[in-house]
Amino acid sequence: MGANSTQAVGLAAFLIAFTLISAGIAGGGILVSLVGGVLLLVSFGVFLKAKPWEEAE
């Protein structure tokens, strides 16, 4: 993977998502886990958006 700002946003969203999912499992409640799951889907979308740029270079 190259280094561009879109990939950095995707990686940050991915790490925050897993942190929220673990916090929800540890006792934060279903809402925290749900927000983490949505953020995980957002990070996958950002990575899919950045994939063609990676192959073009």
Side-chain angles (χ1 to χ4, degrees):
M1 267 187 136
N4 63 41
S5 61
T6 305
Q7 290 172 336
V9 168
L11 184 61
F14 184 78
L15 293 174
I16 293 169
F18 271 101
T19 302
L20 289 174
I21 291 170
S22 350
I25 291 171
I30 190 73
L31 185 60
V32 176
S33 294
L34 185 62
V35 170
V38 168
L39 197 55
L40 186 64
L41 292 175
V42 167
S43 73
F44 287 150
V46 170
F47 280 133
L48 288 175
K49 178 182 172 186
K51 183 69 175 170
W53 299 337
E54 184 70 26
E55 293 174 352
E57 293 176 356

